[in-house]
Amino acid sequence: MLFNIDSFILLVALLLIIGVISTKFSTRVGVPALVLFIAVGMLFGSDGLGLIHFDNPKLAQLIGVIALIVILFEGGLQTKWTAVKPVLVPSLSLATIGVLITTSLVAVAAYLVFDISWFEAFLFGSIVGSTDAAAVFAVLKGQNIDNRLESTLEVESGTNDPMAVFLTITFIQLLSVEDNNILGLILAFFWQMGIGLAVGIIFGKLAVFAINKINLDSSGLYPVFAMAFALLTYSATALIHASGLLAVYIAALVIGSSDITYRHSIFRFNEGFAWMMQILMFVILGLLVFPAQLFAMDIMIKGLIIAGSLIVVARPVAVFISTIKLGFNTREKLFLSWAGLRGAVPIVLATYPMIAGLEDNQLFFNVVFFVVLTSSLIQGSTIPYMAKWLKLSGIQKTTPAHTLELVSIGKANAEIIEYEVNGDDFITNKKIVHLKLPKRVLINAIIRGENLITPRGDTTIRNGDILYILTSRESKEKLLQMVKTKTEKPDTPVKENTLK
């Protein structure tokens, strides 16, 4: 038993190390990391080196759902409401109408390619109908993509899972249960979406209140506290048969858009944890598939036909229809079509028919897996080039060359705030001595470009400066109101009407 335990720990360590190293390799060769994670799983699996024999779809589904909770939570934290608001309508349209259209068109292709019924064809379309948050977040992160398009894709991938899950479960019920209440199924969808949204907002606000008001002794406990709220949000929502994944994303969006204590600690912890769960999830899914079956000629031919119909027909049609009169031009719609990546969600959903014991469930799983690999390799590796070709690249994104590690100051009832100065802020171009900072507030450091500036009374704050400000909890709100105050601009003179 000791040998087995030690061997298991050794394998986990090797898988994580190989997974982390493969992320660096993926950026150099232009292949999405998820493909390499899956390849690692297949290599260690029964048809590879034979080190791990894994054929438990229930456990794979459990790990997949937990990983998706973590990934969606991290993605929501990184997404600001100010970025979401302008693209909310088109994103939700893509997440609902777009998924329905994609499902329907892929179902037609599946019906023609496979010897299956229409219900089975629509089940297959439902499984691959949604884009994947893990794939989209990972591929778009750090890329030079127009902010509006990036936000649209991220919000769509964070909110379209409930539609795909609902459609998948619905068609499984239609195939396995003789008497079904269609009206009840439709009402269940609105229940899942509406209650999921409401619970997400409530638990997000509750998490913000708890994180800011409860004074923990160690800063390392705050990220754990936040993650506990993510798991609580999902479970509480799922127990009342609403969409837990949607609730988690909404709660994270609320938390990420609020001023919270130990913000950087929470964000960095969740970023690392999300990467670890991505590695674990895709490796497990790679272990679940048998390459000898996946790369059989019949599966490859049918998978390529389905993948082609999805990438070239279904997704573009869904995008063009669901974004009618929503402010996107043809080039932007083409990019949205190409960037609709498939990833973990379709593979996890493909385990549902396996667990339900439906006929041809292994065929479904293998073809879905092949479609995901095809989408990731072809679309995922070419997204930056597509954006450049369509002239949709945004402002070059740079990673700050500085970091700041903070020790716990929970017992002191104080924290350090990072604030980036904007050109129209009231404090821009003013000397520190003239700011009239609240009591128990001190500017500790200023980062200007790549230089560290020691603040003095006669130091002038410039546009783009990053300030690190030590403040007591009582003075925090007053401080934020002061630094965020905008300079009043003179009214623009009104031109006289010169019409003759």
Side-chain angles (χ1 to χ4, degrees), residues 214-479:
I214 299 178
N215 190 7
L216 301 176
D217 290 339
S218 172
S219 61
L221 292 175
Y222 285 92
V224 179
F225 198 37
M227 179 51 61
F229 270 99
L231 297 173
L232 177 64
T233 301
Y234 175 85
S235 58
T237 311
L239 285 173
I240 56 176
H241 305 290
S243 176
L245 294 177
L246 176 63
V248 168
Y249 183 76
I250 297 300
L253 184 61
V254 172
I255 296 171
S257 300
S258 304
D259 291 317
I260 54 175
T261 301
Y262 292 107
R263 182 182 191 86
H264 291 285
S265 297
I266 292 173
F267 277 40
R268 294 298 165 261
F269 171 86
N270 280 281
E271 183 179 14
F273 195 29
W275 270 113
M276 188 179 76
M277 293 308 296
Q278 278 194 66
I279 294 172
L280 177 62
M281 174 176 61
F282 285 115
V283 168
I284 290 294
L285 295 176
L287 290 171
L288 191 61
V289 70
F290 294 91
Q293 298 177 11
L294 179 66
F295 296 111
M297 187 58 65
D298 182 58
I299 295 295
M300 292 176 64
I301 293 175
K302 292 178 179 178
L304 285 173
I305 294 174
I306 298 297
S309 65
L310 171 63
I311 297 171
V312 179
V313 179
R315 172 67 179 181
V317 171
V319 168
F320 274 77
I321 292 178
S322 58
T323 57
I324 291 176
K325 296 183 179 181
L326 292 180
F328 292 100
N329 58 39
T330 301
R331 289 183 295 109
E332 292 172 330
K333 291 181 180 181
L334 286 174
F335 180 78
L336 291 174
S337 301
W338 190 253
L341 299 178
R342 268 58 188 175
V345 171
I347 300 177
V348 172
L349 290 180
T351 63
Y352 281 55
M354 299 176 72
I355 296 173
L358 295 184
E359 189 178 357
D360 296 327
N361 61 78
Q362 190 62 51
L363 172 67
F364 275 33
F365 183 84
N366 289 333
V367 176
V368 168
F369 208 106
F370 191 85
V371 169
V372 168
L373 285 179
T374 304
S375 171
S376 300
L377 281 171
I378 296 177
Q379 296 172 278
S381 59
T382 56
I383 283 179
Y385 306 103
M386 182 64 71
K388 185 177 181 180
W389 180 63
L390 293 172
K391 299 180 180 179
L392 296 173
S393 298
I395 300 174
Q396 184 64 41
K397 299 175 183 177
T398 57
T399 302
H402 60 277
T403 58
L404 180 67
E405 295 292 339
L406 302 179
V407 297
S408 173
I409 48 178
K411 292 182 179 179
N413 197 29
E415 60 183 287
I416 293 181
I417 295 173
E418 179 188 85
Y419 183 78
E420 183 173 357
V421 179
N422 295 312
D424 57 348
D425 286 347
F426 171 76
I427 62 175
T428 306
N429 297 325
K430 287 185 171 54
K431 293 183 178 181
I432 293 177
V433 71
H434 297 149
L435 292 183
K436 297 182 180 179
L437 295 171
K439 293 181 179 179
R440 294 186 294 277
V441 171
L442 178 66
I443 299 178
N444 294 90
I446 300 176
I447 304 294
R448 184 171 296 165
E450 296 183 359
N451 299 317
L452 171 65
I453 297 176
T454 302
R456 301 179 184 276
D458 60 351
T459 301
T460 301
I461 295 175
R462 303 296 184 190
N463 178 32
D465 284 355
I466 298 177
L467 311 180
Y468 290 99
I469 310 171
L470 176 65
T471 177
S472 64
R473 299 276 176 85
E474 293 79 8
S475 303
K476 178 182 176 181
E477 185 175 349
K478 186 176 181 180
L479 168 67

Side-chain angles (χ1 to χ4, degrees), residues 185-202:
L185 294 174
I186 296 174
L187 292 176
F189 167 74
F190 288 102
W191 169 268
Q192 288 189 33
M193 294 290 286
I195 300 301
L197 175 64
V199 173
I201 293 174
I202 293 171

